[in-house]
PDB file of all heavy atoms in Angstrom:
ATOM      1  N   ARG Q  26       0.849  -1.202  -0.022  1.00  0.00           N
ATOM      2  CA  ARG Q  26      -0.011   0.015   0.011  1.00  0.00           C
ATOM      3  C   ARG Q  26       0.858   1.251   0.006  1.00  0.00           C
ATOM      4  O   ARG Q  26       0.502   2.261  -0.624  1.00  0.00           O
ATOM      5  CB  ARG Q  26      -0.976   0.002   1.210  1.00  0.00           C
ATOM      6  CG  ARG Q  26      -1.915   1.150   1.189  1.00  0.00           C
ATOM      7  CD  ARG Q  26      -3.096   0.971   2.091  1.00  0.00           C
ATOM      8  NE  ARG Q  26      -2.777   0.969   3.502  1.00  0.00           N
ATOM      9  CZ  ARG Q  26      -3.772   0.899   4.449  1.00  0.00           C
ATOM     10  NH1 ARG Q  26      -4.990   0.920   4.113  1.00  0.00           N
ATOM     11  NH2 ARG Q  26      -3.422   0.951   5.737  1.00  0.00           N
ATOM     12  N   GLY Q  27       1.996   1.178   0.716  1.00  0.00           N
ATOM     13  CA  GLY Q  27       3.007   2.264   0.595  1.00  0.00           C
ATOM     14  C   GLY Q  27       2.670   3.610   1.307  1.00  0.00           C
ATOM     15  O   GLY Q  27       3.161   4.617   0.912  1.00  0.00           O
ATOM     16  N   ARG Q  28       1.797   3.583   2.344  1.00  0.00           N
ATOM     17  CA  ARG Q  28       1.536   4.818   3.103  1.00  0.00           C
ATOM     18  C   ARG Q  28       2.540   4.989   4.191  1.00  0.00           C
ATOM     19  O   ARG Q  28       2.797   4.114   4.987  1.00  0.00           O
ATOM     20  CB  ARG Q  28       0.109   4.746   3.662  1.00  0.00           C
ATOM     21  CG  ARG Q  28      -1.021   4.664   2.642  1.00  0.00           C
ATOM     22  CD  ARG Q  28      -2.356   4.627   3.343  1.00  0.00           C
ATOM     23  NE  ARG Q  28      -3.434   4.413   2.391  1.00  0.00           N
ATOM     24  CZ  ARG Q  28      -4.711   4.285   2.761  1.00  0.00           C
ATOM     25  NH1 ARG Q  28      -5.020   4.189   4.065  1.00  0.00           N
ATOM     26  NH2 ARG Q  28      -5.663   4.137   1.813  1.00  0.00           N
ATOM     27  N   PRO Q  29       3.150   6.218   4.322  1.00  0.00           N
ATOM     28  CA  PRO Q  29       4.104   6.467   5.396  1.00  0.00           C
ATOM     29  C   PRO Q  29       3.556   6.230   6.764  1.00  0.00           C
ATOM     30  O   PRO Q  29       4.309   5.783   7.657  1.00  0.00           O
ATOM     31  CB  PRO Q  29       4.468   7.967   5.190  1.00  0.00           C
ATOM     32  CG  PRO Q  29       4.190   8.143   3.726  1.00  0.00           C
ATOM     33  CD  PRO Q  29       2.980   7.358   3.380  1.00  0.00           C
ATOM     34  N   GLU Q  30       2.270   6.533   6.949  1.00  0.00           N
ATOM     35  CA  GLU Q  30       1.671   6.316   8.311  1.00  0.00           C
ATOM     36  C   GLU Q  30       1.500   4.892   8.711  1.00  0.00           C
ATOM     37  O   GLU Q  30       1.230   4.549   9.851  1.00  0.00           O
ATOM     38  CB  GLU Q  30       0.299   7.068   8.387  1.00  0.00           C
ATOM     39  CG  GLU Q  30      -0.740   6.519   7.359  1.00  0.00           C
ATOM     40  CD  GLU Q  30      -0.769   7.293   6.073  1.00  0.00           C
ATOM     41  OE1 GLU Q  30       0.263   7.833   5.660  1.00  0.00           O
ATOM     42  OE2 GLU Q  30      -1.858   7.346   5.449  1.00  0.00           O
ATOM     43  N   ASP Q  31       1.705   3.981   7.715  1.00  0.00           N
ATOM     44  CA  ASP Q  31       1.579   2.556   8.069  1.00  0.00           C
ATOM     45  C   ASP Q  31       2.866   1.954   8.523  1.00  0.00           C
ATOM     46  O   ASP Q  31       2.907   0.805   9.031  1.00  0.00           O
ATOM     47  CB  ASP Q  31       1.208   1.731   6.744  1.00  0.00           C
ATOM     48  CG  ASP Q  31      -0.215   1.923   6.346  1.00  0.00           C
ATOM     49  OD1 ASP Q  31      -1.023   2.342   7.251  1.00  0.00           O
ATOM     50  OD2 ASP Q  31      -0.548   1.676   5.182  1.00  0.00           O
ATOM     51  N   GLU Q  32       3.988   2.704   8.479  1.00  0.00           N
ATOM     52  CA  GLU Q  32       5.314   2.129   8.710  1.00  0.00           C
ATOM     53  C   GLU Q  32       5.442   1.567  10.135  1.00  0.00           C
ATOM     54  O   GLU Q  32       6.000   0.439  10.300  1.00  0.00           O
ATOM     55  CB  GLU Q  32       6.387   3.149   8.523  1.00  0.00           C
ATOM     56  CG  GLU Q  32       7.799   2.673   8.746  1.00  0.00           C
ATOM     57  CD  GLU Q  32       8.195   1.458   7.844  1.00  0.00           C
ATOM     58  OE1 GLU Q  32       7.507   1.252   6.802  1.00  0.00           O
ATOM     59  OE2 GLU Q  32       9.164   0.806   8.202  1.00  0.00           O
ATOM     60  N   ARG Q  33       4.948   2.246  11.136  1.00  0.00           N
ATOM     61  CA  ARG Q  33       5.080   1.760  12.512  1.00  0.00           C
ATOM     62  C   ARG Q  33       4.319   0.441  12.692  1.00  0.00           C
ATOM     63  O   ARG Q  33       4.850  -0.489  13.332  1.00  0.00           O
ATOM     64  CB  ARG Q  33       4.609   2.820  13.482  1.00  0.00           C
ATOM     65  CG  ARG Q  33       4.772   2.390  14.936  1.00  0.00           C
ATOM     66  CD  ARG Q  33       4.478   3.506  15.881  1.00  0.00           C
ATOM     67  NE  ARG Q  33       4.599   3.122  17.279  1.00  0.00           N
ATOM     68  CZ  ARG Q  33       4.447   3.949  18.286  1.00  0.00           C
ATOM     69  NH1 ARG Q  33       4.141   5.220  18.103  1.00  0.00           N
ATOM     70  NH2 ARG Q  33       4.540   3.518  19.542  1.00  0.00           N
ATOM     71  N   ALA Q  34       3.101   0.432  12.198  1.00  0.00           N
ATOM     72  CA  ALA Q  34       2.294  -0.835  12.307  1.00  0.00           C
ATOM     73  C   ALA Q  34       2.945  -1.989  11.516  1.00  0.00           C
ATOM     74  O   ALA Q  34       2.924  -3.113  11.973  1.00  0.00           O
ATOM     75  CB  ALA Q  34       0.881  -0.553  11.807  1.00  0.00           C
ATOM     76  N   ARG Q  35       3.446  -1.631  10.407  1.00  0.00           N
ATOM     77  CA  ARG Q  35       4.128  -2.660   9.541  1.00  0.00           C
ATOM     78  C   ARG Q  35       5.268  -3.276  10.272  1.00  0.00           C
ATOM     79  O   ARG Q  35       5.435  -4.561  10.389  1.00  0.00           O
ATOM     80  CB  ARG Q  35       4.580  -2.086   8.264  1.00  0.00           C
ATOM     81  CG  ARG Q  35       5.151  -3.073   7.204  1.00  0.00           C
ATOM     82  CD  ARG Q  35       5.736  -2.318   6.014  1.00  0.00           C
ATOM     83  NE  ARG Q  35       7.004  -1.781   6.329  1.00  0.00           N
ATOM     84  CZ  ARG Q  35       8.183  -2.387   6.162  1.00  0.00           C
ATOM     85  NH1 ARG Q  35       8.204  -3.587   5.653  1.00  0.00           N
ATOM     86  NH2 ARG Q  35       9.332  -1.792   6.477  1.00  0.00           N
ATOM     87  N   ARG Q  36       6.147  -2.474  10.854  1.00  0.00           N
ATOM     88  CA  ARG Q  36       7.273  -2.999  11.541  1.00  0.00           C
ATOM     89  C   ARG Q  36       6.935  -3.784  12.804  1.00  0.00           C
ATOM     90  O   ARG Q  36       7.507  -4.794  13.131  1.00  0.00           O
ATOM     91  CB  ARG Q  36       8.259  -1.810  11.969  1.00  0.00           C
ATOM     92  CG  ARG Q  36       8.892  -1.156  10.809  1.00  0.00           C
ATOM     93  CD  ARG Q  36       9.965  -0.165  11.231  1.00  0.00           C
ATOM     94  NE  ARG Q  36      11.128  -0.946  11.835  1.00  0.00           N
ATOM     95  CZ  ARG Q  36      12.097  -1.422  11.080  1.00  0.00           C
ATOM     96  NH1 ARG Q  36      12.093  -1.248   9.781  1.00  0.00           N
ATOM     97  NH2 ARG Q  36      13.052  -2.039  11.680  1.00  0.00           N
ATOM     98  N   SER Q  37       5.878  -3.301  13.470  1.00  0.00           N
ATOM     99  CA  SER Q  37       5.411  -4.024  14.680  1.00  0.00           C
ATOM    100  C   SER Q  37       4.923  -5.453  14.344  1.00  0.00           C
ATOM    101  O   SER Q  37       5.215  -6.380  15.019  1.00  0.00           O
ATOM    102  CB  SER Q  37       4.318  -3.212  15.350  1.00  0.00           C
ATOM    103  OG  SER Q  37       3.795  -3.953  16.492  1.00  0.00           O
ATOM    104  N   LEU Q  38       4.171  -5.539  13.262  1.00  0.00           N
ATOM    105  CA  LEU Q  38       3.659  -6.844  12.816  1.00  0.00           C
ATOM    106  C   LEU Q  38       4.812  -7.788  12.401  1.00  0.00           C
ATOM    107  O   LEU Q  38       4.834  -8.956  12.816  1.00  0.00           O
ATOM    108  CB  LEU Q  38       2.762  -6.674  11.592  1.00  0.00           C
ATOM    109  CG  LEU Q  38       1.376  -6.087  11.834  1.00  0.00           C
ATOM    110  CD1 LEU Q  38       0.759  -5.646  10.513  1.00  0.00           C
ATOM    111  CD2 LEU Q  38       0.466  -7.071  12.515  1.00  0.00           C
ATOM    112  N   LEU Q  39       5.820  -7.258  11.727  1.00  0.00           N
ATOM    113  CA  LEU Q  39       6.932  -8.070  11.291  1.00  0.00           C
ATOM    114  C   LEU Q  39       7.765  -8.483  12.540  1.00  0.00           C
ATOM    115  O   LEU Q  39       8.224  -9.628  12.584  1.00  0.00           O
ATOM    116  CB  LEU Q  39       7.858  -7.302  10.341  1.00  0.00           C
ATOM    117  CG  LEU Q  39       7.176  -7.062   8.960  1.00  0.00           C
ATOM    118  CD1 LEU Q  39       8.057  -6.134   8.128  1.00  0.00           C
ATOM    119  CD2 LEU Q  39       7.000  -8.399   8.214  1.00  0.00           C
ATOM    120  N   GLU Q  40       7.960  -7.589  13.494  1.00  0.00           N
ATOM    121  CA  GLU Q  40       8.746  -7.954  14.610  1.00  0.00           C
ATOM    122  C   GLU Q  40       8.073  -9.033  15.513  1.00  0.00           C
ATOM    123  O   GLU Q  40       8.731  -9.917  16.022  1.00  0.00           O
ATOM    124  CB  GLU Q  40       9.010  -6.738  15.484  1.00  0.00           C
ATOM    125  CG  GLU Q  40      10.058  -5.758  14.795  1.00  0.00           C
ATOM    126  CD  GLU Q  40      10.110  -4.405  15.461  1.00  0.00           C
ATOM    127  OE1 GLU Q  40       9.315  -4.179  16.396  1.00  0.00           O
ATOM    128  OE2 GLU Q  40      10.895  -3.564  14.991  1.00  0.00           O
ATOM    129  N   GLU Q  41       6.716  -8.886  15.628  1.00  0.00           N
ATOM    130  CA  GLU Q  41       5.978  -9.915  16.370  1.00  0.00           C
ATOM    131  C   GLU Q  41       6.057 -11.264  15.645  1.00  0.00           C
ATOM    132  O   GLU Q  41       6.286 -12.275  16.305  1.00  0.00           O
ATOM    133  CB  GLU Q  41       4.483  -9.494  16.477  1.00  0.00           C
ATOM    134  CG  GLU Q  41       4.234  -8.375  17.401  1.00  0.00           C
ATOM    135  CD  GLU Q  41       4.355  -8.780  18.882  1.00  0.00           C
ATOM    136  OE1 GLU Q  41       4.161  -9.943  19.172  1.00  0.00           O
ATOM    137  OE2 GLU Q  41       4.688  -7.936  19.701  1.00  0.00           O
ATOM    138  N   SER Q  42       5.892 -11.282  14.337  1.00  0.00           N
ATOM    139  CA  SER Q  42       6.004 -12.575  13.610  1.00  0.00           C
ATOM    140  C   SER Q  42       7.355 -13.125  13.715  1.00  0.00           C
ATOM    141  O   SER Q  42       7.581 -14.351  13.835  1.00  0.00           O
ATOM    142  CB  SER Q  42       5.558 -12.412  12.180  1.00  0.00           C
ATOM    143  OG  SER Q  42       6.402 -11.579  11.464  1.00  0.00           O
ATOM    144  N   ARG Q  43       8.422 -12.275  13.590  1.00  0.00           N
ATOM    145  CA  ARG Q  43       9.797 -12.773  13.642  1.00  0.00           C
ATOM    146  C   ARG Q  43      10.096 -13.415  15.025  1.00  0.00           C
ATOM    147  O   ARG Q  43      10.798 -14.442  15.058  1.00  0.00           O
ATOM    148  CB  ARG Q  43      10.768 -11.674  13.355  1.00  0.00           C
ATOM    149  CG  ARG Q  43      12.247 -12.125  13.378  1.00  0.00           C
ATOM    150  CD  ARG Q  43      13.158 -11.052  12.830  1.00  0.00           C
ATOM    151  NE  ARG Q  43      13.167  -9.873  13.637  1.00  0.00           N
ATOM    152  CZ  ARG Q  43      13.911  -8.788  13.384  1.00  0.00           C
ATOM    153  NH1 ARG Q  43      14.680  -8.792  12.328  1.00  0.00           N
ATOM    154  NH2 ARG Q  43      13.874  -7.728  14.149  1.00  0.00           N
ATOM    155  N   ARG Q  44       9.582 -12.861  16.072  1.00  0.00           N
ATOM    156  CA  ARG Q  44       9.791 -13.404  17.399  1.00  0.00           C
ATOM    157  C   ARG Q  44       9.288 -14.876  17.435  1.00  0.00           C
ATOM    158  O   ARG Q  44       9.927 -15.760  17.985  1.00  0.00           O
ATOM    159  CB  ARG Q  44       9.204 -12.603  18.469  1.00  0.00           C
ATOM    160  CG  ARG Q  44      10.067 -11.408  18.944  1.00  0.00           C
ATOM    161  CD  ARG Q  44       9.522 -10.775  20.246  1.00  0.00           C
ATOM    162  NE  ARG Q  44       8.393  -9.927  19.925  1.00  0.00           N
ATOM    163  CZ  ARG Q  44       8.451  -8.672  19.632  1.00  0.00           C
ATOM    164  NH1 ARG Q  44       9.639  -8.086  19.487  1.00  0.00           N
ATOM    165  NH2 ARG Q  44       7.388  -7.907  19.359  1.00  0.00           N
ATOM    166  N   PHE Q  45       8.080 -15.087  16.854  1.00  0.00           N
ATOM    167  CA  PHE Q  45       7.526 -16.452  16.882  1.00  0.00           C
ATOM    168  C   PHE Q  45       8.413 -17.349  16.024  1.00  0.00           C
ATOM    169  O   PHE Q  45       8.709 -18.487  16.442  1.00  0.00           O
ATOM    170  CB  PHE Q  45       6.070 -16.458  16.369  1.00  0.00           C
ATOM    171  CG  PHE Q  45       5.565 -17.909  16.247  1.00  0.00           C
ATOM    172  CD1 PHE Q  45       5.054 -18.544  17.352  1.00  0.00           C
ATOM    173  CD2 PHE Q  45       5.622 -18.520  15.031  1.00  0.00           C
ATOM    174  CE1 PHE Q  45       4.566 -19.854  17.218  1.00  0.00           C
ATOM    175  CE2 PHE Q  45       5.180 -19.838  14.875  1.00  0.00           C
ATOM    176  CZ  PHE Q  45       4.632 -20.476  16.047  1.00  0.00           C
ATOM    177  N   TYR Q  46       8.720 -16.924  14.818  1.00  0.00           N
ATOM    178  CA  TYR Q  46       9.521 -17.809  13.903  1.00  0.00           C
ATOM    179  C   TYR Q  46      10.901 -18.157  14.533  1.00  0.00           C
ATOM    180  O   TYR Q  46      11.343 -19.278  14.376  1.00  0.00           O
ATOM    181  CB  TYR Q  46       9.766 -17.071  12.586  1.00  0.00           C
ATOM    182  CG  TYR Q  46       8.508 -16.921  11.750  1.00  0.00           C
ATOM    183  CD1 TYR Q  46       8.238 -15.676  11.065  1.00  0.00           C
ATOM    184  CD2 TYR Q  46       7.479 -17.887  11.706  1.00  0.00           C
ATOM    185  CE1 TYR Q  46       7.157 -15.540  10.304  1.00  0.00           C
ATOM    186  CE2 TYR Q  46       6.367 -17.730  10.954  1.00  0.00           C
ATOM    187  CZ  TYR Q  46       6.148 -16.508  10.241  1.00  0.00           C
ATOM    188  OH  TYR Q  46       5.039 -16.331   9.488  1.00  0.00           O
ATOM    189  N   ARG Q  47      11.432 -17.196  15.254  1.00  0.00           N
ATOM    190  CA  ARG Q  47      12.744 -17.535  15.926  1.00  0.00           C
ATOM    191  C   ARG Q  47      12.570 -18.565  17.018  1.00  0.00           C
ATOM    192  O   ARG Q  47      13.345 -19.465  17.150  1.00  0.00           O
ATOM    193  CB  ARG Q  47      13.329 -16.194  16.494  1.00  0.00           C
ATOM    194  CG  ARG Q  47      14.064 -15.351  15.458  1.00  0.00           C
ATOM    195  CD  ARG Q  47      14.667 -14.143  16.095  1.00  0.00           C
ATOM    196  NE  ARG Q  47      15.523 -13.413  15.123  1.00  0.00           N
ATOM    197  CZ  ARG Q  47      16.122 -12.277  15.344  1.00  0.00           C
ATOM    198  NH1 ARG Q  47      15.925 -11.669  16.529  1.00  0.00           N
ATOM    199  NH2 ARG Q  47      16.859 -11.703  14.439  1.00  0.00           N
ATOM    200  N   ARG Q  48      11.540 -18.365  17.818  1.00  0.00           N
ATOM    201  CA  ARG Q  48      11.277 -19.335  18.886  1.00  0.00           C
ATOM    202  C   ARG Q  48      10.982 -20.729  18.313  1.00  0.00           C
ATOM    203  O   ARG Q  48      11.421 -21.751  18.886  1.00  0.00           O
ATOM    204  CB  ARG Q  48      10.136 -18.958  19.770  1.00  0.00           C
ATOM    205  CG  ARG Q  48      10.342 -17.712  20.623  1.00  0.00           C
ATOM    206  CD  ARG Q  48       9.305 -17.604  21.727  1.00  0.00           C
ATOM    207  NE  ARG Q  48       7.935 -17.520  21.185  1.00  0.00           N
ATOM    208  CZ  ARG Q  48       7.357 -16.359  20.840  1.00  0.00           C
ATOM    209  NH1 ARG Q  48       7.989 -15.227  21.075  1.00  0.00           N
ATOM    210  NH2 ARG Q  48       6.113 -16.377  20.397  1.00  0.00           N
ATOM    211  N   ALA Q  49      10.301 -20.778  17.200  1.00  0.00           N
ATOM    212  CA  ALA Q  49       9.925 -22.029  16.572  1.00  0.00           C
ATOM    213  C   ALA Q  49      11.067 -22.587  15.695  1.00  0.00           C
ATOM    214  O   ALA Q  49      10.997 -23.705  15.254  1.00  0.00           O
ATOM    215  CB  ALA Q  49       8.683 -21.863  15.723  1.00  0.00           C
ATOM    216  N   GLY Q  50      12.083 -21.816  15.461  1.00  0.00           N
ATOM    217  CA  GLY Q  50      13.251 -22.276  14.701  1.00  0.00           C
ATOM    218  C   GLY Q  50      12.954 -22.381  13.185  1.00  0.00           C
ATOM    219  O   GLY Q  50      13.543 -23.194  12.514  1.00  0.00           O
ATOM    220  N   ILE Q  51      12.040 -21.499  12.692  1.00  0.00           N
ATOM    221  CA  ILE Q  51      11.708 -21.533  11.274  1.00  0.00           C
ATOM    222  C   ILE Q  51      12.533 -20.526  10.522  1.00  0.00           C
ATOM    223  O   ILE Q  51      12.190 -19.342  10.306  1.00  0.00           O
ATOM    224  CB  ILE Q  51      10.163 -21.264  11.015  1.00  0.00           C
ATOM    225  CG1 ILE Q  51       9.356 -22.149  11.935  1.00  0.00           C
ATOM    226  CG2 ILE Q  51       9.784 -21.416   9.573  1.00  0.00           C
ATOM    227  CD1 ILE Q  51       7.874 -21.895  11.904  1.00  0.00           C
ATOM    228  N   ALA Q  52      13.774 -20.966  10.158  1.00  0.00           N
ATOM    229  CA  ALA Q  52      14.773 -20.050   9.628  1.00  0.00           C
ATOM    230  C   ALA Q  52      14.375 -19.367   8.343  1.00  0.00           C
ATOM    231  O   ALA Q  52      14.658 -18.145   8.144  1.00  0.00           O
ATOM    232  CB  ALA Q  52      16.114 -20.797   9.411  1.00  0.00           C
TER     233      ALA Q  52
END
């Protein structure tokens, strides 16, 4: 979508998902 106001929410979603993938070992 490319809206600047979405950036914070986008990063938060990615960081949350990355934490799970790291715990689960899904490289």
